[in-house]
Amino acid sequence: MGKILTVLLIELLILIVSVFALKIESTVGFLLLLVSIVFAIYYGAKNEKIRYRLQDAFSSSRRFALILGIILIFIFPLFFMDSPYWVFVITIGVIYIILAIGLNMMLGSLDLVNLGFAAFFGIGAYTVGMITAKYGLHLPYLIVLLLAGIVAMIFGLLLCLPTMGMKGYYFSLTTIAFGLAVELTINNLEWTGGPGGIKNIPHISLFGLNLGDSYTVFGYDLPFQLNYFYFALVIMLLVMLVAWLIHNSRIGLSWNAIKEDDIAARAQGINIKVYRIYAFAIGSFIAGVAGAIFAPLMGYIAPTNFTYAHSITMVAMVILGGIDNIMGIALGAFLLSIAPEKFRAFSDYRMLIYALIIILMVIYRPQGLIPKKIRKYDFIGGAKDE
Amino acid sequence: MPFFKADHLVMRFGGLVAVNDFNLELQPGDLVGLIGPNGAGKTTVFNMITGVYRPTSGRIYFQDKDITGKRPDIITALGIARTFQNIRLFTDLSLIENVMVSYHVRLKSNIFEAVFKLPRYMRQENAMYEEAMELLHKVELDHLAEEKAGSLPYGEQRRLEIARALATHPKLLLLDEPAAGMNPNETLQLMDFIKQIRDEFDLTILLIEHDMKVVMGICERIWVLDYGKTIAVGTPSEIQNNPEVIKAYLGEEEYA
């Protein structure tokens, strides 16, 4: 019972602190909060007794912790009903979590540093924009979502095949070129709207509901962004579940083996080409799906949404959060998509502080906020890592 | 047709002839040594057999099949496994995972069954896990099953690498300097272990080794390479007294 209470209190504390952190307007106050969070985590991690008690509490009531966590995430945006802008920012954060999990299939599992991942995001978003706004086709949204994923996947395979034998910076360099090529193409083609992008992308309508409407619940007028938040959240949870299942299956294991030593992996009978194709296909499909949520949420997309800088940010999210750990990646993606908003007060120094955080992280905690864990095998039931 | 045959293998890297006209025949159950000074081309022979290099010329036959230039993973699936001179474990994975990776060759389930943990996949996974544990038990590492492979001391890493190779169910096992870095006591244990696994798993073993105690102690026949050429073939006692071999190892005697 005490353990469940510990989990409950910790998760509530995290919720309250994060709501407070987003709401606080004074810059000094925010910085003070940030410093005290870092201090608290540092002290907690150093103190054996506290760390052991927390680990014990979370590992013995794993299911409760997970369900409570999901419930609290569903409640989270309700604290921002007065400012739809924050709901919007959080929704973008959720979309970036989806992207970072897709990227991790290459970057984290296989050590392929893809610096053009935003291209797949853009291809997904443009697929939706072209179908719904430019050609005005009235397909069911879920079909459009699937198409966005498939088109991104086709481009993923197009990038995968010629880079098959590449590793390290040769691979990264090629992906930079790929990302730029996609960005420049949609920027210069008249067919895709050029630099002006695609305007008036209609809102998602799903099972007779229009996500662009604001609904009234118990007399409260809810901002339409909230609909998008919940939709993105459901997709995010699905993507997380699939990514977790893959990570703990023989595919995740083979990916990791190839990452560690591809020559030894081949000598154990692993066909590395097939596993690379899996990573590209699944990763870019997920990015396309993220784009399919992004386009109707924005209503307007342009090449500037899918640049090299966006690709770099996605890589930073995975590295900051923790390579190959889904919870870590989610945390990293969320922090890095919220952080620029919080540092707006510093105006000119915003990107500087942002960069400083990343440099400090890489120096002092290169394994990420929540590092990768060793899979546990407690048969029957397969591998578990969370 | 013999069980395994390397027929006039040549490997050139640019102007360097690493292996020149290498011939080898193995019968099932053989335990054969491949020796020679550093740079003689021993590991290159292994790399050609396992598909890492495609020979410049010559053919390799294994169980009546021509396997010359096939992909390494296909050759492994056909029944040839190897260990590496400079130990290539998956250091960040646990011991049990290192061994389980090798079972994937034989799994019949597809990707969807694997991801969604459908019954057939889970049955195979369970059988695989139990077999992997048994192998770890055989190399006396089962108590460390969930430790990272990189945290093991050197001698135990060598044993784990052999267990990992055995997990692919090989018929021919290539061991590249299995005794390197071991102390005399560990070396003795290793010699027993190699003979034991040959009998238990019906293996044919080809091994490269610098430790003459190991080679002379367990090998039934020995091939000696020098500068890419086979300079002698024979039983341990024949090799020990062969003047060509002595010359290759110690240099030519000079008469003043």
Side-chain angles (χ1 to χ4, degrees):
Chain A
M1 208 54 219
K3 285 172 187 168
I4 286 185
L5 200 66
T6 314
V7 172
L8 183 74
L9 285 176
I10 290 287
E11 292 201 355
L12 279 177
L13 184 71
I14 293 173
L15 176 77
I16 292 166
V17 171
S18 21
V19 169
F20 192 58
L22 291 187
K23 281 203 169 246
I24 197 164
E25 272 174 30
S26 126
T27 307
V28 179
F30 177 70
L31 279 183
L32 277 177
L33 186 69
L34 211 61
V35 169
S36 46
I37 291 172
V38 170
F39 184 76
I41 292 175
Y42 180 75
Y43 180 75
K46 238 181 122 176
N47 189 317
E48 286 283 328
K49 220 167 157 186
I50 295 178
R51 205 179 61 193
Y52 176 76
R53 267 187 70 176
L54 289 184
Q55 270 173 357
D56 185 44
F58 274 87
S59 61
S60 59
S61 47
R62 194 178 284 157
R63 183 162 297 169
F64 174 75
L66 191 68
I67 292 171
L68 180 69
I70 292 175
I71 292 172
L72 291 184
I73 295 170
F74 270 87
I75 295 174
F76 183 58
L78 299 178
F79 291 94
F80 302 95
M81 285 303 93
D82 49 334
S83 58
Y85 179 70
W86 273 112
V87 181
F88 170 76
V89 170
I90 297 167
T91 310
I92 296 289
V94 172
I95 291 174
Y96 269 91
I97 292 177
I98 298 173
L99 282 166
I101 289 174
L103 175 61
N104 180 62
M105 309 230 163
M106 302 171 199
L107 172 68
S109 304
L110 269 176
D111 214 7
L112 294 173
V113 184
N114 188 335
L115 291 174
F117 202 67
F120 302 126
F121 181 38
I123 288 164
Y126 265 83
T127 307
V128 174
M130 301 286 274
I131 291 174
T132 59
K134 187 167 166 130
Y135 292 110
L137 297 176
H138 292 287
L139 296 171
Y141 174 74
L142 287 181
I143 303 266
V144 178
L145 181 92
L146 211 61
L147 281 175
I150 290 170
V151 174
M153 183 160 97
I154 290 169
F155 276 87
L157 294 174
L158 277 180
L159 175 64
C160 175
L161 297 177
T163 58
M164 195 54 100
M166 292 182 194
K167 278 196 293 190
Y169 28 75
Y170 297 98
F171 176 81
S172 299
L173 212 56
T174 315
T175 56
I176 293 175
F178 172 80
L180 289 179
V182 170
E183 186 197 332
L184 288 175
T185 309
I186 51 179
N187 202 8
N188 287 302
L189 274 186
E190 217 172 299
W191 184 54
T192 54
I198 300 179
K199 296 176 190 68
N200 300 324
I201 298 167
H203 280 293
I204 297 172
S205 80
L206 209 63
F207 310 122
L209 294 172
N210 186 339
L211 296 198
D213 292 344
S214 54
Y215 291 93
T216 307
V217 177
F218 300 126
Y220 285 100
D221 283 333
L222 304 175
F224 83 87
Q225 287 89 344
L226 195 64
N227 306 331
Y228 275 94
F229 171 82
Y230 285 124
F231 178 66
L233 190 65
V234 170
I235 299 285
M236 179 195 91
L237 291 174
L238 276 175
V239 167
M240 279 176 140
L241 177 68
V242 169
W244 182 74
L245 285 171
I246 291 176
H247 178 73
N248 287 321
S249 76
R250 77 177 144 95
I251 295 152
L253 183 56
S254 301
W255 278 345
N256 287 160
I258 295 167
K259 163 185 171 173
E260 294 271 324
D261 189 329
D262 56 334
I263 290 179
R266 288 200 299 177
Q268 299 328 116
I270 294 176
N271 184 342
I272 54 178
K273 286 185 182 171
V274 168
Y275 283 95
R276 255 174 109 129
I277 291 174
Y278 285 158
F280 273 81
I282 304 169
S284 48
F285 181 88
I286 291 174
V289 166
I293 308 170
F294 182 75
L297 168 67
M298 303 294 284
Y300 164 62
I301 51 170
T304 48
N305 293 125
F306 315 105
T307 61
Y308 178 59
H310 291 89
S311 295
I312 298 276
T313 311
M314 292 172 203
V315 171
M317 287 168 172
V318 176
I319 293 175
L320 171 81
I323 274 176
D324 244 5
N325 183 312
I326 291 167
M327 287 300 161
I329 295 163
L331 181 64
F334 195 72
L335 285 180
L336 284 193
S337 48
I338 299 297
E341 301 300 327
K342 283 317 287 188
F343 293 129
R344 234 171 242 290
F346 301 94
S347 61
D348 291 350
Y349 300 103
R350 178 157 71 117
M351 287 315 279
L352 193 68
I353 293 174
Y354 187 68
L356 198 68
I357 290 179
I358 295 177
I359 292 172
L360 287 176
M361 273 302 296
V362 173
I363 292 174
Y364 291 106
R365 206 173 161 80
Q367 70 273 46
L369 292 170
I370 311 181
K372 184 193 172 196
K373 292 186 190 117
I374 290 190
R375 299 178 187 82
K376 295 262 178 278
Y377 292 86
D378 52 347
F379 276 84
I380 291 146
K384 293 200 179 73
D385 76 336
E386 234 78 53
Chain B
M1 195 62 138
F3 171 72
F4 174 87
K5 185 177 180 190
D7 195 16
H8 299 290
L9 288 184
V10 176
M11 187 76 224
R12 276 196 205 96
F13 298 105
L16 177 87
V17 183
V19 173
N20 195 6
D21 198 28
F22 179 78
N23 293 287
L24 173 70
E25 277 187 23
L26 296 174
Q27 299 302 333
D30 275 355
L31 211 172
V32 171
L34 190 58
I35 64 171
N38 285 323
K42 305 177 299 286
T43 299
T44 309
V45 168
F46 271 25
N47 283 338
M48 282 190 283
I49 297 174
T50 54
V52 178
Y53 298 149
R54 170 186 267 278
T56 315
S57 67
R59 315 299 302 172
I60 304 166
Y61 302 96
F62 176 63
Q63 292 189 313
D64 301 328
K65 274 198 203 88
D66 185 348
I67 60 164
T68 321
K70 287 209 188 308
R71 282 205 324 258
D73 51 292
I74 290 180
I75 289 176
T76 305
L78 285 173
I80 301 182
R82 72 177 293 184
T83 64
F84 295 89
Q85 188 178 353
N86 41 351
I87 309 185
R88 305 187 82 124
L89 287 170
F90 308 121
T91 45
D92 227 19
L93 300 182
S94 65
L95 270 64
I96 186 83
E97 286 179 322
N98 266 276
V99 179
M100 281 170 73
V101 163
S102 307
Y103 286 102
H104 292 159
V105 194
R106 291 190 314 283
L107 285 189
K108 296 280 185 298
S109 51
N110 63 36
I111 169 172
F112 290 102
E113 288 177 289
V115 170
F116 295 106
K117 299 190 190 301
L118 298 183
R120 184 164 76 141
Y121 172 76
M122 287 318 290
R123 267 200 310 277
Q124 290 179 347
E125 265 302 279
N126 281 330
M128 179 172 107
Y129 174 80
E130 270 164 29
E131 226 189 294
M133 268 318 242
E134 222 168 275
L135 264 179
L136 282 183
H137 180 69
K138 217 151 260 165
V139 294
E140 292 164 29
L141 292 171
D142 51 335
H143 57 293
L144 300 168
E146 288 190 350
E147 298 296 318
K148 278 189 185 180
S151 66
L152 290 181
Y154 197 79
E156 297 187 345
Q157 289 198 7
R158 288 255 174 234
R159 291 214 305 267
L160 177 61
E161 211 190 10
I162 294 176
R164 186 180 68 174
L166 288 176
T168 65
H169 285 199
K171 298 183 189 80
L172 171 61
L173 180 61
L174 311 179
L175 300 173
D176 200 341
E177 295 195 28
M182 286 189 171
N183 63 37
N185 197 19
E186 286 174 321
T187 307
L188 279 179
Q189 284 177 8
L190 179 82
M191 288 165 67
D192 283 339
F193 180 65
I194 290 175
K195 277 191 268 189
Q196 186 199 328
I197 57 171
R198 178 192 51 176
D199 299 336
E200 196 173 332
F201 296 92
D202 287 325
L203 292 173
T204 308
I205 295 177
L206 176 63
L207 67 93
I208 295 175
E209 188 49 71
H210 277 299
D211 189 332
M212 285 304 144
K213 217 169 43 218
V214 176
V215 182
M216 299 300 164
I218 60 173
C219 293
E220 292 140 2
R221 276 184 306 148
I222 296 169
W223 256 249
V224 189
L225 285 186
D226 191 25
Y227 293 109
K229 275 186 286 198
T230 311
I231 57 167
V233 180
T235 61
S237 57
E238 285 166 4
I239 295 297
Q240 271 167 326
N241 301 315
N242 186 313
E244 284 280 326
V245 177
I246 296 168
K247 197 171 85 187
Y249 271 90
L250 301 175
E252 198 126 17
E253 263 185 81
E254 278 181 41
Y255 298 97

